[in-house]
Amino acid sequence: MEAKGRIVRVSGPAVTADNMTGSQMYELVRVGEEKLVGEIIKIEGNKAIIQVYEETAGLKPGEPVERTGRPLSVELGPGIIGQTYDGIQRPLPKTQELIGPFFKRGFAIPSLDRDKKWDFTPSVKVGDRVVGGDILGTVPETPLVTHRILVPPDVHGTIKDIVKEGKYTIMDEIATVETEAGDVKLKMVQTWPVRRGRPYKVKLPPDTPLLTGQRIFDTFFPMVKGGQGAIPGGFGTGKTVMLHQLAQWADANVVIYVGCGERGNEMAEVLERFPKLKDPRSGYPLMDRTILVANTSNMPIAAREASIYTGITMGEYFRDMGYDVALMADSTSRWAEALREISGRLEEMPGEEGYPAYLASRLSEFYERAGRVLTLGSTERIGSVSVVGAVSPPGADFSEPVTQNTLRIIKVFWGLDKTLAEKRHFPAINWLTSYSLYSESLEEWYRRNVNPEFLELRGKALWLLQREEELQEIVRLVGPDALSESQRVILEAARMIREDFLMQSAYHPVDTYCSIEKCYSMLRVIIRFYEEMGKAVERGVPIKSILSLPVLEDIARMKLAPLDEAVKVCKEIESKISEQFNSLYTTLRR
Amino acid sequence: MSKTILTGKEYSTVKEIAGPLLFVERTTGISYGEVVKIRTPTGEERTGQVLEVDEKRAIVQVFEGTSGLDVTKTVTRFTGDTLKFPVSLDIIGRIFDGSGKPIDGGPEIIPEDERDIHGAPINPYSRAHPSEFIQTGISAIDGMNTLVRGQKLPLFSGSGLPHNLIAAQIARQAKVLGKEEEFAVVFAAMGITSDEARFFREDFEKRGAMDRVVMFINLADDPAIERLITPRLALTAAEFLAFDYDLHILVILTDMTNYAEALREISAAREEVPGRRGYPGYMYTDLATIYERAGRIHGRKGSVTQIPILTMPHDDITHPIPDLTGYITEGQIYVERALHMKGIYPPINVLPSLSRLMNEGIGKGKTREEHRYVADQLYYAYAEGRSLRELVAVIGEEALTERDRLYLEFADRYEREFINQGPYEDRDIEKTLDIGWNLLAMFPETELKRIDPVYIKKYHPKYKEKKES
Ligand SMILES: Nc1ncnc2c1ncn2[C@@H]1O[C@H](COP(=O)(O)OP(=O)(O)OP(=O)(O)O)[C@@H](O)[C@H]1O
Ligand SMILES: [Mg+2]
């Protein structure tokens, strides 16, 4: 593009330029002498308003603005897994190599390594008909992810040329497709505009849980592959820890972690830990399936706004290969604040709490890009993107606009509770207010894959927790003396569920991950104990002697049983329960 | 109208003055963020910065305030440069005012470099995750909310509470076990009283530590808008000393509440759409550009550890200042009025306190292998005890079970024996954990569910004494 614009106003990240006739919404531009990266977010006559992805101090009215004619896009291809990017997909390790540990501006680095050679194995041959989404070939990118090189969505025709198995860079031409519009040469890399969802054939209803290894989620409030969830909570209640847990243990093929306006040290933590942690299913380092997008709170806020789109576009790309992708965004509130700040600079009409009126629609557009889909391509392939967003409500008050607008969209609500966090009950998920709208559609799955009895146990446990709340209210008003023995049984059982089941330390080497089988076995033990307790009290055994049974200590520690022994350990505890209650009765009879 | 003299362009076209802002007309070639020197009608010089610029006008915030300025005689000189602080190793031991001018009568600083006071964000990839235990000698911190080198851990306090005493105690006692290097302290005061500033200065002087301290002082009667630059000067100094000279720096910023008030003042003057309680919507991001300037960097020896202090308006932790701070820092130390009234020092309530980097800094080879478990058990017991206290207030003590009574008694003893200590008492981590164990020994062993039985056998006083005798 030849035409050059000219800066007329600078206000923080928002820059206005004139002489911009012909530019398009979301077009990428280069701003000022230093060619800072920016994107057009509003057009008024011959003026364009640009959000700039880098620090704008030093920009002057009169400096030039160059148009590129293309929208903000990401590069997709081998080399993406294991990377750490900023909000506009600049690779941070390379950035450090180039400019050191402190950011400077105006630098450009390609998102993917141009020189690295990958082992490409073609899966089509000359003469094959291909359509968008078909697999041209594969690259073993990491031990955990086989990169499927796809025909871009808008290309279809006949393979005229395809390279042999061998080593190629992403810039090498690997195939030529003869199409109606002429020959199209394909490389292993393709680009896609971040603000446009990648196409698929049809959305499918979710039917499989996204297991997370976290007892409270997998047992009570399950997520699904292709689902949408949110985890709101005040500061220090455990959003980041839980998102890190999901990133570590969720049974997805690819994990994308978007650190969006949060702490630098938290990204450093992931970078230090993930290469050492092993995927519980395959034994390979978790970094081998992870992509990080890190645009921390002190990095330019416009890039923060873009970061979640950068993240989800990469997610859709792996979905299109037929993979299950899990994306976490920490925190969507910081993204919304970026939106608010830029809107404020544009002097737009503010809505609730200063957020722009389009906050709700932007949020739902983002979450709508989650889902389980039948992908493009001539063979049947199913892939999914699951999205979980942290929400950081001011003053932990969930009535604020970002939380409220998010709740209208998402299907899984994991509500964090300040009181629980202060008591160090972790994860501090409130079991009374949290919900999963997927629970019902997953019932069949649990019956078949875990145990037919699972749902009944879960129902009992939830009932106990609810009853506990009502009984606690009585205790608060008139004291514990007012309760009957059988009511105390409920309180004790609920306490066991809370402390021996729901509490799960993210930092304990064993407890950090719990398989669904282990969840089931543990729950069975507790419900078993509860039922025995009820019977015993009916037969006149005082609660006090029940509470001094030695098996209680075993129950308190069953969560620490290693995965491969847990089922056995729980079985043994169950028989101890029978034995010890029986001996109670014997003493009673004497 | 405009003339370019040696450095910058001069304009005397101030059109409007609103609060701390000047609106200068008919400007050209002004860059966003540049420094402006303002000459008042009486010839005094002030400093400002461009907040917004278009083809015809620049909006300038004046750090020393606009009183005495007018639209006819005031002259503005746009320097074309961003705000910089001249750094040098010689700043150690010196005292500066809130805009970085020496006020201790010492010699001019001969700069080694000039650094932009806004700093530059650290590439998250370059950060080394903080993990070295700092022993502060304060049990409530070391035992329960451990501080590590490179962390940002604020004190959430209230007016009239002894946060200064605590901060000074930390500065005095902080050390990394097994390492020789002492911390150097960078101290930034924003709008505190001269008594408070004197307290810190005398505390540093008394123990002969002034040669390891750099002070930046903006007092209560100094210009309010200057508070926006004071912490940035301090952090520029800190980063320079840490990452150019390999020093370990402890930065104390007090009082961040006054900083936030200054931010609100600017926002109101610009007639921006206010966020919660009148504070600007971008306050989170703005505070982050201060608090995120802490940490460690791969391949660099030094570190920046931050202890910001803020007084919560009406002791309200949901107020935007503590709230947004808590969302950025790596935990908080909560100073509680009720404990202070009880005569407990330091009056730290450990329940709403938190150190998010604690796990990295404790355990075998760092503090003691059972540290995590002891802390968890103490938390559990104290939380039980405190909630029972509330219950007792309603229904009386008679209704309690034996177990409940034990927890009540624990809570009292925990406050008196574990939390409570002298402002000059430097408890090592062994002592802190041992006090913890002695208190936990009140309970039957079956109550100690959070502690691995292996450690009970090893550290519980009951077994320890047996072993020793
Ligand atoms: N599942 C867990 N197991 C053990 N500890 C936990 C768990 N969840 C949270 N914590 C504790 O709570 C602290 C705060 O958690 P986290 O940093 O995730 O909070 P957050 O909600 O992300 O806060 P912010 O909004 O300020 O980022 C952690 O540092 C950890 O000590
Ligand atoms: Mg967090």
Side-chain angles (χ1 to χ4, degrees), chain A residues 403-418:
Chain A
T403 316
Q404 285 306 311
N405 283 307
T406 304
L407 287 185
R408 273 185 220 121
I409 305 160
I410 50 97
K411 311 280 192 310
V412 178
F413 169 70
W414 293 323
L416 286 163
D417 190 313
K418 200 125 206 158

mmCIF file of all heavy atoms in Angstrom, chain A residues 403-418:
data_model
loop_
_atom_site.group_PDB
_atom_site.id
_atom_site.type_symbol
_atom_site.label_atom_id
_atom_site.label_comp_id
_atom_site.label_asym_id
_atom_site.label_seq_id
_atom_site.Cartn_x
_atom_site.Cartn_y
_atom_site.Cartn_z
ATOM 1 N N THR A 403 -18.372 -10.079 35.487
ATOM 2 C CA THR A 403 -18.856 -11.362 36.008
ATOM 3 C C THR A 403 -20.269 -11.641 35.489
ATOM 4 O O THR A 403 -20.557 -12.729 34.991
ATOM 5 C CB THR A 403 -18.884 -11.352 37.556
ATOM 6 O OG1 THR A 403 -17.686 -10.773 38.041
ATOM 7 C CG2 THR A 403 -19.020 -12.760 38.109
ATOM 8 N N GLN A 404 -21.128 -10.652 35.604
ATOM 9 C CA GLN A 404 -22.518 -10.864 35.205
ATOM 10 C C GLN A 404 -22.642 -11.206 33.722
ATOM 11 O O GLN A 404 -23.360 -12.135 33.355
ATOM 12 C CB GLN A 404 -23.361 -9.628 35.549
ATOM 13 C CG GLN A 404 -23.664 -9.516 37.035
ATOM 14 C CD GLN A 404 -24.309 -10.785 37.598
ATOM 15 O OE1 GLN A 404 -25.260 -11.317 37.044
ATOM 16 N NE2 GLN A 404 -23.765 -11.288 38.699
ATOM 17 N N ASN A 405 -21.947 -10.482 32.892
ATOM 18 C CA ASN A 405 -22.037 -10.778 31.457
ATOM 19 C C ASN A 405 -21.437 -12.136 31.126
ATOM 20 O O ASN A 405 -21.884 -12.809 30.206
ATOM 21 C CB ASN A 405 -21.351 -9.689 30.644
ATOM 22 C CG ASN A 405 -22.223 -8.451 30.545
ATOM 23 O OD1 ASN A 405 -23.385 -8.545 30.149
ATOM 24 N ND2 ASN A 405 -21.697 -7.312 30.929
ATOM 25 N N THR A 406 -20.419 -12.533 31.876
ATOM 26 C CA THR A 406 -19.810 -13.843 31.642
ATOM 27 C C THR A 406 -20.776 -14.951 32.049
ATOM 28 O O THR A 406 -20.943 -15.945 31.336
ATOM 29 C CB THR A 406 -18.501 -13.966 32.445
ATOM 30 O OG1 THR A 406 -17.642 -12.879 32.074
ATOM 31 C CG2 THR A 406 -17.806 -15.278 32.166
ATOM 32 N N LEU A 407 -21.437 -14.749 33.186
ATOM 33 C CA LEU A 407 -22.359 -15.779 33.674
ATOM 34 C C LEU A 407 -23.480 -16.055 32.685
ATOM 35 O O LEU A 407 -24.009 -17.164 32.619
ATOM 36 C CB LEU A 407 -22.964 -15.353 35.018
ATOM 37 C CG LEU A 407 -21.998 -15.414 36.195
ATOM 38 C CD1 LEU A 407 -22.696 -15.108 37.505
ATOM 39 C CD2 LEU A 407 -21.369 -16.800 36.262
ATOM 40 N N ARG A 408 -23.840 -15.052 31.913
ATOM 41 C CA ARG A 408 -24.916 -15.263 30.939
ATOM 42 C C ARG A 408 -24.499 -16.197 29.814
ATOM 43 O O ARG A 408 -25.342 -16.741 29.113
ATOM 44 C CB ARG A 408 -25.346 -13.927 30.343
ATOM 45 C CG ARG A 408 -26.375 -13.309 31.214
ATOM 46 C CD ARG A 408 -26.916 -12.026 30.602
ATOM 47 N NE ARG A 408 -27.067 -11.124 31.714
ATOM 48 C CZ ARG A 408 -26.481 -9.961 31.848
ATOM 49 N NH1 ARG A 408 -25.736 -9.491 30.877
ATOM 50 N NH2 ARG A 408 -26.653 -9.250 32.914
ATOM 51 N N ILE A 409 -23.193 -16.364 29.635
ATOM 52 C CA ILE A 409 -22.723 -17.134 28.495
ATOM 53 C C ILE A 409 -22.289 -18.537 28.890
ATOM 54 O O ILE A 409 -22.629 -19.517 28.237
ATOM 55 C CB ILE A 409 -21.501 -16.418 27.864
ATOM 56 C CG1 ILE A 409 -21.850 -14.984 27.519
ATOM 57 C CG2 ILE A 409 -21.012 -17.177 26.647
ATOM 58 C CD1 ILE A 409 -20.624 -14.089 27.364
ATOM 59 N N ILE A 410 -21.524 -18.618 29.953
ATOM 60 C CA ILE A 410 -20.838 -19.873 30.245
ATOM 61 C C ILE A 410 -21.788 -20.911 30.863
ATOM 62 O O ILE A 410 -22.845 -20.589 31.378
ATOM 63 C CB ILE A 410 -19.626 -19.649 31.172
ATOM 64 C CG1 ILE A 410 -20.021 -18.807 32.388
ATOM 65 C CG2 ILE A 410 -18.510 -18.935 30.442
ATOM 66 C CD1 ILE A 410 -20.338 -19.551 33.583
ATOM 67 N N LYS A 411 -21.334 -22.174 30.787
ATOM 68 C CA LYS A 411 -22.174 -23.268 31.274
ATOM 69 C C LYS A 411 -21.628 -23.878 32.562
ATOM 70 O O LYS A 411 -22.306 -24.603 33.239
ATOM 71 C CB LYS A 411 -22.250 -24.381 30.217
ATOM 72 C CG LYS A 411 -22.573 -23.910 28.816
ATOM 73 C CD LYS A 411 -24.059 -23.664 28.671
ATOM 74 C CE LYS A 411 -24.477 -23.476 27.229
ATOM 75 N NZ LYS A 411 -23.661 -22.504 26.484
ATOM 76 N N VAL A 412 -20.354 -23.611 32.839
ATOM 77 C CA VAL A 412 -19.776 -24.116 34.083
ATOM 78 C C VAL A 412 -19.315 -22.936 34.908
ATOM 79 O O VAL A 412 -18.551 -22.099 34.434
ATOM 80 C CB VAL A 412 -18.576 -25.048 33.814
ATOM 81 C CG1 VAL A 412 -17.967 -25.502 35.129
ATOM 82 C CG2 VAL A 412 -19.003 -26.242 32.998
ATOM 83 N N PHE A 413 -19.829 -22.879 36.113
ATOM 84 C CA PHE A 413 -19.493 -21.785 37.009
ATOM 85 C C PHE A 413 -18.783 -22.368 38.221
ATOM 86 O O PHE A 413 -19.369 -23.130 38.983
ATOM 87 C CB PHE A 413 -20.772 -21.065 37.425
ATOM 88 C CG PHE A 413 -20.603 -20.081 38.550
ATOM 89 C CD1 PHE A 413 -19.915 -18.896 38.360
ATOM 90 C CD2 PHE A 413 -21.153 -20.332 39.799
ATOM 91 C CE1 PHE A 413 -19.769 -17.982 39.395
ATOM 92 C CE2 PHE A 413 -21.010 -19.418 40.846
ATOM 93 C CZ PHE A 413 -20.322 -18.246 40.640
ATOM 94 N N TRP A 414 -17.514 -22.060 38.350
ATOM 95 C CA TRP A 414 -16.760 -22.474 39.527
ATOM 96 C C TRP A 414 -16.512 -21.224 40.354
ATOM 97 O O TRP A 414 -15.612 -20.440 40.054
ATOM 98 C CB TRP A 414 -15.427 -23.095 39.102
ATOM 99 C CG TRP A 414 -15.566 -24.406 38.360
ATOM 100 C CD1 TRP A 414 -16.475 -25.395 38.588
ATOM 101 C CD2 TRP A 414 -14.728 -24.884 37.281
ATOM 102 N NE1 TRP A 414 -16.271 -26.449 37.719
ATOM 103 C CE2 TRP A 414 -15.210 -26.171 36.920
ATOM 104 C CE3 TRP A 414 -13.635 -24.362 36.608
ATOM 105 C CZ2 TRP A 414 -14.624 -26.925 35.900
ATOM 106 C CZ3 TRP A 414 -13.058 -25.115 35.597
ATOM 107 C CH2 TRP A 414 -13.545 -26.380 35.253
ATOM 108 N N GLY A 415 -17.328 -21.024 41.361
ATOM 109 C CA GLY A 415 -17.256 -19.785 42.139
ATOM 110 C C GLY A 415 -16.286 -19.920 43.301
ATOM 111 O O GLY A 415 -16.389 -20.836 44.110
ATOM 112 N N LEU A 416 -15.322 -19.013 43.365
ATOM 113 C CA LEU A 416 -14.360 -19.050 44.464
ATOM 114 C C LEU A 416 -14.849 -18.199 45.613
ATOM 115 O O LEU A 416 -15.528 -17.190 45.416
ATOM 116 C CB LEU A 416 -12.995 -18.558 43.974
ATOM 117 C CG LEU A 416 -12.277 -19.577 43.093
ATOM 118 C CD1 LEU A 416 -11.157 -18.909 42.321
ATOM 119 C CD2 LEU A 416 -11.755 -20.729 43.926
ATOM 120 N N ASP A 417 -14.472 -18.613 46.807
ATOM 121 C CA ASP A 417 -15.048 -18.042 48.003
ATOM 122 C C ASP A 417 -13.935 -17.553 48.920
ATOM 123 O O ASP A 417 -13.048 -18.303 49.305
ATOM 124 C CB ASP A 417 -15.844 -19.161 48.688
ATOM 125 C CG ASP A 417 -16.699 -18.655 49.808
ATOM 126 O OD1 ASP A 417 -16.176 -17.885 50.632
ATOM 127 O OD2 ASP A 417 -17.878 -19.037 49.858
ATOM 128 N N LYS A 418 -13.988 -16.264 49.234
ATOM 129 C CA LYS A 418 -12.954 -15.639 50.061
ATOM 130 C C LYS A 418 -12.858 -16.299 51.447
ATOM 131 O O LYS A 418 -11.762 -16.514 51.960
ATOM 132 C CB LYS A 418 -13.315 -14.156 50.206
ATOM 133 C CG LYS A 418 -12.148 -13.329 50.599
ATOM 134 C CD LYS A 418 -11.875 -12.169 49.656
ATOM 135 C CE LYS A 418 -10.404 -11.844 49.767
ATOM 136 N NZ LYS A 418 -9.796 -11.151 48.702
#
